[in-house]
Amino acid sequence: MRVSVVGAGLGGLALAQGLRGAGIEADVFERDPGIVARFQGYRLVLNPTGFQAVRDCLPTRWHPLLDEIVMDASAEQLVLDPRLNEIGRLGAGRTGIVVDRQVLRHLLLTGLTVHTDAALTDYDVLADGRVRARFAHRGPATADLLVGADGVTSAVRGVLSPRTTPTDTGVRFVIGRTPLTDEFAGLSKAYGSKITGDAVSLLLGAMRFRTPPKQAAEQLAPDVTLPDIGDYVRWAMILPSNGSLEELTAQDAVLSRMEGWHPELRALIEQADPDNSTLLSIRVVKPGERWASGPVTLLGDAIHATSPTGGNGANTALRDADLLRRCLIDVDEGRRDLLGAVGDYERQMFEYGAEAVRSSLEKLPAFAPGAKLS
């Protein structure tokens, strides 16, 4: 069996790794001109389901390395004012496993065949039931299954389910990262909390590696090369839905809304790496009417993109990858047919994927009043 995965994000790569480990051929096609064409290096929190999905998709020999490059998440989830005074609580403290997206992505890339500059334009289901994917800048690829793991603007979804389209919530946010130095030790209570100012919210999160990733790989898995990065603070400012950025840089857009804020908070933004700071829009994709099961399916943000305020986007994509991996192993080992396995995956994925989108949107108004939720 051969699987074509369109999209080299965490979900698509986890699926490809899991299939590779089971002896199933998997090729990854990425529309970006190179693997590191876009920076993808922010911290994220994996819940037990998401972290177990990663472990199950990776070779067991890399598990010690995975355990060494993560940290436990524990935060009180306070609400603070711009001077760092406590004014409320968001609810129960959040726990989980913190991982750096860029580091995890490099681990998942190891050993895979990834074709870059491969933007999908269309696909055909052939008479023998296989599917032929066509790309803008390379020849077609034929496989038993085509998986669209190509994000909110999924080209695969555009063909498979053209009526399923992204919804723009109107909310924008600026995200960046700053090296974690002793200067910012006083901000520790703000990590995992919400700092609320004049119609904006600032969220901070610390990324502290148990061992620096590059060093951990050299010691525990010499066949893996990981980025040489140190501890940092990930910050994100959620802007009002009607806000204008006036063509400011990402950092200036944040600083322009921080007049009178605590000097350590302003210094955190001022010392951020400008190359790793960017403006993003919050768009969601709600799973709609299911298509007829066939040799094409979707995974992750391509079918259930969530608001980042839910903290469940990567977790749900990784859950998809592990579920689909297990279904396809059953096919490869002769326990079920391909269309039945894909249909079973889609039934489960639609149910928990829709719930992930719903719960993420439910949390959005607490950070961005006026967001479009319908």
Side-chain angles (χ1 to χ4, degrees):
M1 182 165 58
R2 178 179 287 274
V3 178
S4 290
V5 179
V6 178
L10 296 184
L13 294 175
L15 173 63
Q17 276 289 354
L19 296 178
R20 174 176 175 260
I24 298 172
E25 295 181 89
D27 295 301
V28 181
F29 299 88
E30 168 56 49
R31 62 179 169 237
D32 284 348
I35 288 299
V36 294
R38 290 181 295 119
F39 181 76
Q40 300 186 37
Y42 301 108
R43 120 200 230 285
L44 53 89
V45 180
L46 298 182
N47 60 31
T49 299
F51 187 62
Q52 189 61 50
V54 171
R55 291 181 70 86
D56 290 346
C57 288
L58 286 171
T60 56
R61 69 181 185 278
W62 292 347
H63 287 181
L65 173 59
L66 177 64
D67 292 339
E68 197 63 26
I69 57 174
V70 301
M71 61 174 279
D72 293 327
S74 179
E76 293 187 78
Q77 290 197 299
L78 306 174
V79 181
L80 307 173
D81 69 15
R83 302 299 298 182
L84 297 179
N85 300 304
E86 182 179 338
I87 57 175
R89 290 179 177 268
L90 288 171
R94 188 180 180 194
T95 59
I97 298 294
V98 179
V99 64
D100 177 80
R101 182 185 294 270
Q102 182 189 21
V103 171
L104 180 58
R105 188 166 181 253
H106 275 266
L107 177 59
L108 290 169
L109 281 163
T110 304
L112 294 182
T113 300
V114 180
H115 308 277
T116 55
D117 200 19
L120 182 132
T121 57
D122 204 352
Y123 65 79
D124 303 299
V125 177
L126 307 177
D128 62 3
R130 294 185 300 162
V131 59
R132 179 174 57 205
R134 299 198 296 273
F135 303 91
H137 303 299
R138 56 162 288 123
T142 301
D144 299 285
L145 179 67
L146 175 67
V147 180
D150 46 343
V152 175
T153 59
S154 172
V156 179
R157 187 191 65 235
V159 181
L160 179 63
S161 184
R163 290 191 294 179
T164 304
T165 57
T167 298
D168 192 337
T169 65
V171 179
R172 304 290 180 264
F173 70 106
V174 183
I175 190 167
R177 74 181 200 185
T178 303
L180 180 54
T181 63
D182 292 341
E183 179 180 354
F184 302 119
L187 295 178
S188 58
K189 74 174 182 179
Y191 300 149
S193 298
K194 178 178 78 166
I195 303 161
T196 182
D198 183 16
V200 298
S201 297
L202 181 67
L203 308 175
L204 307 182
M207 182 72 238
R208 298 184 180 93
F209 299 103
R210 293 171 179 167
T211 300
K214 185 175 185 294
Q215 178 183 334
E218 291 170 349
Q219 294 174 351
L220 298 172
D223 56 330
V224 177
T225 300
L226 296 182
D228 186 12
I229 64 174
D231 298 346
Y232 63 87
V233 178
R234 186 272 299 136
W235 51 264
M237 177 171 279
I238 301 177
L239 305 172
S241 56
N242 60 350
S244 170
L245 294 178
E246 303 166 352
E247 298 184 355
L248 297 173
T249 67
Q251 283 172 283
D252 287 343
V254 174
L255 289 169
S256 69
R257 290 163 170 82
M258 294 180 68
E259 185 175 350
W261 285 45
H262 194 286
E264 286 187 20
L265 292 174
R266 289 188 57 88
L268 184 75
I269 308 303
E270 290 168 348
Q271 295 180 33
D273 179 355
D275 293 334
N276 297 334
S277 305
T278 188
L279 171 71
L280 299 169
S281 60
I282 296 182
R283 293 174 292 170
V284 299
V285 176
K286 299 179 181 179
E289 182 180 352
R290 277 190 58 201
W291 51 86
S293 292
V296 183
T297 193
L298 299 173
L299 178 157
D301 284 357
I303 184 58
H304 47 63
T306 65
S307 165
T309 50
N312 56 10
N315 285 293
T316 312
L318 293 169
R319 181 178 180 179
D320 290 351
D322 187 44
L323 173 60
L324 185 53
R325 173 190 71 89
R326 289 186 278 113
C327 289
L328 294 179
I329 289 173
D330 283 347
V331 175
D332 192 57
E333 295 180 351
R335 290 189 289 273
R336 62 200 308 188
D337 66 276
L338 178 62
L339 295 190
V342 172
D344 187 34
Y345 157 73
E346 290 172 349
R347 279 190 295 273
Q348 296 182 60
M349 177 270 289
F350 262 66
E351 182 176 351
Y352 65 69
E355 172 58 23
V357 177
R358 187 203 64 77
S359 63
S360 76
L361 287 175
E362 188 178 64
K363 295 180 175 71
L364 184 56
F367 298 89
K372 302 172 188 175
L373 304 184
S374 60

